Amino acid sequence: MSAFSPGHPASGESAALGQPDLGHLLKASARGDERAFAELYDASSSRLYGLVLRVVRDPAQSEEVTQEAFLEIWRSCARFDPDKGSPISWMMTIAHRKAVDRVRSAEAATRRDQTYERASRERDYDVTAEQAERDLEAQRVRRAMESLTETQRGAVQLAYFGGYTHTEVAALLGIPLGTAKTRIRDGLIRLRDTLGMQS
């Protein structure tokens, strides 16, 4: 598989009148067709990089995360199911998950550094208790997110972790605005119910 560089104009997007069939390219990539994967990359890398950049914020890290996302897409494209969503929404979900993982990893490293610094000083019980409470709440939210359907989870992650508007979520996932709103609303309802049962 060739090395690619995100953030540059995607050659596959230059054909304004004839966009490539991403679903067909995913199927061909699943059969090991590197040329099809290169075309898939060219047609979608700018959108995935833009999404990752909005989450990660750092351009260099965003390029790395985009590469990681495409590596996972290459490895798992045989699992793409067109009945569960569009090719671009499936790819965007992978990219967003990778971006969130990178942010969480950075936050975890920061927490480890802060924990080490605090260990050299007398611990403030209230601060420790508040941190523990925040960690428990984050775990509850992560478990609740796992209860959502894949389509609901993708929409909710874009709207609330990625900071996108409903209109932007619809555009990113390639679905009507009403569908995006419904997925977000239903996902939030299920989150609320799941969190309620956990409390």
Side-chain angles (χ1 to χ4, degrees):
M1 184 172 58
S2 305
F4 305 106
S5 177
H8 300 294
S11 60
E13 292 181 347
S14 61
L17 297 178
Q19 291 296 319
D21 183 337
L22 299 185
H24 173 75
L25 293 176
L26 278 171
K27 288 181 181 178
S29 298
R31 297 191 296 269
D33 187 334
E34 293 188 13
R35 182 173 298 180
F37 186 72
E39 188 176 349
L40 177 73
Y41 181 96
D42 287 340
S44 58
S45 60
S46 293
R47 290 182 69 180
L48 266 65
Y49 175 76
L51 168 63
V52 170
L53 182 61
R54 290 192 63 165
V55 177
V56 177
R57 306 294 184 186
D58 178 80
Q61 286 197 50
S62 296
E63 288 190 9
E64 292 178 8
V65 172
T66 302
Q67 294 288 352
E68 292 172 5
F70 273 101
L71 180 59
E72 181 168 338
I73 290 167
W74 169 255
R75 289 172 173 169
S76 62
C77 52
R79 295 201 294 269
F80 168 67
D81 184 351
D83 293 333
K84 294 183 178 179
S86 68
I88 192 64
S89 67
W90 182 75
M91 295 169 68
M92 295 285 269
T93 298
I94 290 175
H96 188 265
R97 184 171 65 243
K98 290 288 184 184
V100 171
D101 286 346
R102 176 62 66 94
V103 171
R104 287 175 177 166
S105 177
E107 290 174 348
T110 300
R111 284 198 299 270
R112 283 195 298 272
D113 291 344
Q114 292 172 344
T115 299
Y116 178 79
E117 291 174 8
R118 285 197 301 269
S120 64
R121 304 191 302 266
E122 182 179 352
R123 285 181 177 265
D124 183 329
Y125 175 78
D126 290 338
V127 172
T128 304
E130 288 174 9
Q131 182 63 52
E133 186 174 341
R134 283 197 297 270
D135 290 346
L136 287 172
E137 184 63 23
Q139 290 174 12
R140 290 180 64 227
V141 172
R142 281 196 294 273
R143 285 197 300 270
M145 287 291 290
E146 292 172 1
S147 73
L148 305 184
T149 66
E150 185 175 346
T151 54
Q152 289 171 347
R153 185 162 55 249
V156 170
Q157 284 176 332
L158 286 174
Y160 290 94
F161 292 105
Y164 289 93
T165 66
H166 289 181
T167 301
E168 290 172 329
V169 170
L172 287 169
L173 297 181
I175 57 177
L177 176 59
T179 303
K181 288 182 177 179
T182 297
R183 289 183 185 179
I184 293 169
R185 181 199 65 211
D186 292 349
L188 291 176
I189 290 173
R190 181 175 286 195
L191 270 180
R192 180 198 65 197
D193 293 344
T194 302
L195 289 169
M197 287 187 294
Q198 290 178 7
S199 59

